[in-house]
Amino acid sequence: MLTEYSSEKDSISMFQKILKLLGVKKHLTADQILRYPKPMQYGPDQHSIRLEHLDQDALKVVARIQQCGCRAYIVGGSVRDLLLGRKPKDYDIVTDAHPQELRRMFTNSRIIGRRFRLVHVVFKGGKIIEVSTARSLPTNRSSAKNEDDLYLKRDNQFGTFKEDAARRDFTINALIFDVKNQTIVDYAGGFEDIQQRVVRVIGNPEISFPEDPVRMYRAVKFAALLGLSLDPATLKAINKYKPLLLKASSSRLHEEYNKIFRSGQAATIFGALLSTGLMETLMPHIVEGEELATDLSHEEFLETPLGQRLAIADRMIQEHEDVNLNIYYALLIAGALQNIILRNQKDHEKTLERKLKEPLQALQKDLALTKREFETLLQIFATQNLFRREVTERKGWVKEFQARKIFQESFIVYKIVARAYGDEGALQRALFWEIGLRQKLPESIRKSAANNIEIDDKDYSPADIADDNSVPAGVGDDQKRPRGGKPRRRRGRRGGANRGGSSHGNAPQTGAE
């Protein structure tokens, strides 16, 4: 017992020595983390952002908060995107007003979250401007005895604007835009990093990544989507700490994969995940099933069957064709199941389904698929060989198959896989089935085109992710209808109808303040 206790004590002591070498001998202050404790300020003559470039509703929110005696600034990804010449997907605002104060300022608002409360200000058409109170630094670093202790489980305290900048993930996401002076306030060096086109962790990545391993994935995603490079220290830490991704919430990772597919840039992002080793860590069965080499360049990845399938789907999204999440997941794992499907072309659908179930369960673990998604994918792959049957006339089973809910998704997967493998025979058979696709997929599963790329800029801690489901339903969901409240009818050829407060904390040090 004494030996075990001594060993554990020695281990703790060693870890604390490492933290001390890294500068974590006590609870770090924002000044110790930030590159510029006294922030750099860039006026209108030094950057390209103008008020007319900004979302008018976001400006209204900032103005209203300031009129009430509090401070508010546009922050994060929208500032980054505007500096990169991109159109922001959304706008986030940070303020020293507390959620209940914000709720009184905006009648068109709602408070979300249980652990850390955010305010959504809802505008016409359901558009949301998210407003958050400035947050403090995590407090668990000073008491950490090992890497597990660094993992953020609670992170709920309000703080100052400087602390809020210090607690963000990457320098390019920590920029603050002061609307009043049209000045960019930069504590972390993000302005310079955008000029140099680099993704860099705020503070020490040896601390940041164990705190939230998903930041490694986000770093690679940002670099791929924005055409940036990874800072050498950030990349080195990714190589060291990537096994910690296995600790991350499976539901959180699953939602991150959904965002990849909605971006219209899946081939680019998965190529980057493969080259940095994150894909092999997160999806070992897919990498093995596809026989992917982990040292492939982006161009080489696009030449693989997986790269081809994802690139075809991305082009379809860019051309506003119909590709939903089920189809993307099927394309991601198709290579690992293709041999089973081709070896059993004469099997009945239910027989093939039984043979696919076990290997699909292994892939399910890689992607944290829900039960419903698993069942849908099982049906998609079990019906693939139906498209290979020789059909010379419209027999009963053909019409029955075309009427099934799974038909459209299954056919799109079949056709994309055939194109990726250059299977001319399969493509010829696809022409017969093309006749059955008279209707488009439902609007609810259409995804945005690549010029509307979805990039999630929220650096929520793991504990915050569970709060997303606490948003009350029914706010901002009203849809416009023609007068009378009824949908319009389109005439057919013969007249038929085809229905078809006070301030809290320290604000950025700008001249106007």
Side-chain angles (χ1 to χ4, degrees):
M1 286 293 291
L2 182 61
T3 303
E4 292 176 0
Y5 175 79
S6 300
S7 177
E8 180 182 355
K9 188 176 180 180
D10 291 342
S11 176
I12 293 172
S13 176
M14 179 61 69
F15 184 78
Q16 290 174 334
K17 288 179 181 177
I18 293 173
L19 290 181
K20 186 175 181 179
L21 290 173
L22 294 173
V24 194
K25 57 185 177 182
K26 60 180 180 179
H27 175 54
L28 290 179
T29 66
D31 286 357
Q32 293 171 302
I33 295 173
L34 294 167
R35 191 185 304 181
Y36 302 118
K38 184 176 181 180
M40 299 291 291
Q41 299 178 41
Y42 302 93
D45 58 333
Q46 296 171 285
H47 64 79
S48 58
I49 301 177
R50 298 294 177 264
L51 293 184
E52 57 267 27
H53 299 159
L54 302 174
D55 182 271
Q56 294 305 301
D57 290 329
L59 292 177
K60 290 176 185 176
V61 172
V62 171
R64 175 63 177 161
I65 296 173
Q66 291 175 341
Q67 287 169 5
C68 292
C70 297
R71 293 168 177 164
Y73 305 92
I74 294 175
V75 298
S78 56
V79 183
R80 176 204 67 211
D81 286 348
L82 287 167
L83 288 175
L84 288 170
R86 303 168 67 90
K87 182 179 179 180
K89 180 182 70 72
D90 54 23
Y91 284 78
D92 294 331
I93 293 168
V94 68
T95 179
D96 54 3
H98 288 189
Q100 290 298 340
E101 293 178 286
L102 293 166
R103 185 69 183 88
R104 290 192 291 270
M105 294 178 195
F106 300 97
T107 57
N108 57 325
S109 68
R110 63 195 181 199
I111 296 177
I112 69 166
R114 291 185 297 274
R115 296 179 177 88
F116 190 88
R117 315 212 85 186
L118 305 169
V119 174
H120 281 177
V121 183
V122 185
F123 288 89
K124 187 177 180 181
K127 182 173 72 173
I128 291 173
I129 303 296
E130 185 172 283
V131 187
S132 62
T133 307
R135 306 177 80 167
S136 68
L137 289 166
T139 58
N140 60 322
R141 293 177 180 175
S142 58
S143 60
K145 298 177 180 178
N146 50 51
E147 290 175 355
D148 289 339
D149 288 346
L150 286 172
Y151 187 74
L152 288 177
K153 300 179 182 68
R154 292 185 175 275
D155 186 14
N156 317 317
Q157 302 299 315
F158 297 138
T160 66
F161 291 103
K162 180 186 289 188
E163 289 175 328
D164 191 82
R167 57 151 287 112
R168 291 178 179 264
D169 51 3
F170 309 112
T171 62
I172 60 174
N173 291 340
L175 295 169
I176 300 171
F177 186 75
D178 182 357
V179 173
K180 187 180 294 184
N181 301 315
Q182 299 187 53
T183 298
I184 292 176
V185 181
D186 183 10
Y187 287 101
F191 189 87
E192 294 171 321
D193 285 342
I194 284 178
Q195 306 301 314
Q196 297 172 12
R197 304 189 68 81
V198 64
V199 176
R200 189 191 314 272
V201 169
I202 293 175
N204 196 316
E206 302 254 356
I207 301 299
S208 181
F209 289 154
E211 277 185 343
D212 184 3
V214 176
R215 287 175 179 166
M216 290 182 277
Y217 158 87
R218 284 166 54 81
V220 173
K221 181 183 74 170
F222 281 131
L225 278 177
L226 300 174
L228 309 180
S229 61
L230 289 168
D231 163 62
T234 300
L235 181 58
K236 182 179 179 180
I238 288 174
N239 290 330
K240 178 178 180 179
Y241 290 109
K242 58 190 175 185
L244 295 181
L245 270 169
L246 299 176
K247 291 182 5 179
S249 162
S250 58
S251 60
R252 186 180 178 195
L253 287 171
H254 184 68
E255 182 54 34
E256 292 291 348
Y257 303 148
N258 289 348
K259 290 170 186 173
I260 291 180
F261 297 142
R262 295 187 188 111
S263 73
Q265 297 289 336
T268 296
I269 298 172
F270 275 102
L273 291 175
L274 180 68
S275 65
T276 53
L278 297 190
M279 188 173 178
E280 185 178 20
T281 299
L282 292 168
M283 308 172 187
H285 295 95
I286 294 175
V287 173
E288 181 182 356
E290 292 282 343
E291 299 180 350
L292 291 171
T294 56
D295 58 348
L296 296 178
S297 67
H298 175 64
E299 292 74 18
E300 291 170 332
F301 175 74
L302 291 179
E303 294 299 318
T304 67
L306 175 57
Q308 288 283 311
R309 295 195 301 271
L310 295 177
I312 292 169
D314 290 339
R315 286 197 296 271
M316 291 174 69
I317 282 190
Q318 293 164 22
E319 295 165 3
H320 302 274
E321 295 188 47
D322 300 305
V323 183
N324 68 12
L325 295 177
N326 290 332
I327 292 169
Y328 260 117
Y329 277 115
L331 296 175
L332 187 60
I333 64 180
L337 301 175
Q338 188 72 354
N339 287 337
I340 299 174
I341 294 170
L342 294 179
R343 284 200 309 265
N344 299 280
Q345 291 188 45
K346 295 182 179 181
D347 280 0
H348 186 273
E349 177 185 337
K350 291 298 180 183
T351 304
L352 180 56
E353 187 175 303
R354 287 195 295 272
K355 293 179 180 180
L356 287 167
K357 196 166 187 176
E358 186 175 339
L360 186 56
Q361 285 172 338
L363 297 167
Q364 180 186 24
K365 294 179 181 178
D366 281 10
L367 300 171
L369 297 172
T370 65
K371 183 177 180 181
R372 177 179 295 181
E373 288 168 336
F374 177 85
E375 293 298 333
T376 299
L377 293 177
L378 189 58
Q379 290 181 54
I380 286 175
F381 288 113
T383 54
Q384 288 297 290
N385 283 335
L386 294 179
F387 297 109
R388 299 179 181 276
R389 292 176 60 175
E390 296 290 346
V391 182
T392 57
E393 59 184 67
R394 287 190 164 277
K395 295 183 178 180
W397 73 268
V398 174
K399 293 182 179 179
E400 181 182 342
F401 181 33
Q402 288 176 325
R404 290 172 60 180
K405 184 178 179 180
I406 199 66
F407 173 77
Q408 291 171 313
E409 293 171 322
S410 186
F411 176 73
I412 293 172
V413 171
Y414 170 79
K415 190 173 180 180
I416 292 176
V417 170
R419 287 174 62 186
Y421 283 102
D423 189 337
E424 292 299 328
L427 289 172
Q428 287 297 319
R429 294 188 187 96
L431 293 176
F432 170 83
W433 297 99
E434 201 84 58
I435 301 171
L437 293 178
R438 295 298 188 187
Q439 295 181 340
K440 291 185 177 180
L441 293 174
E443 186 67 24
S444 61
I445 61 174
R446 288 182 61 83
K447 300 304 171 190
S448 59
N451 63 354
N452 227 358
I453 284 178
E454 175 172 333
I455 305 178
D456 180 25
D457 300 308
K458 317 297 190 299
D459 184 28
Y460 297 142
S461 69
D464 294 327
I465 301 304
D467 296 337
D468 292 345
N469 295 328
S470 63
V471 180
V475 181
D477 293 333
D478 295 337
Q479 299 296 324
K480 282 188 174 181
R481 285 187 176 181
R483 291 182 180 178
K486 296 180 180 179
R488 293 177 180 175
R489 297 182 178 183
R490 297 178 60 187
R491 292 181 177 270
R493 290 185 176 180
R494 297 186 179 275
N498 292 327
R499 297 183 187 271
S502 61
S503 109
H504 311 276
N506 300 320
Q509 303 169 21
T510 60
E513 298 301 328

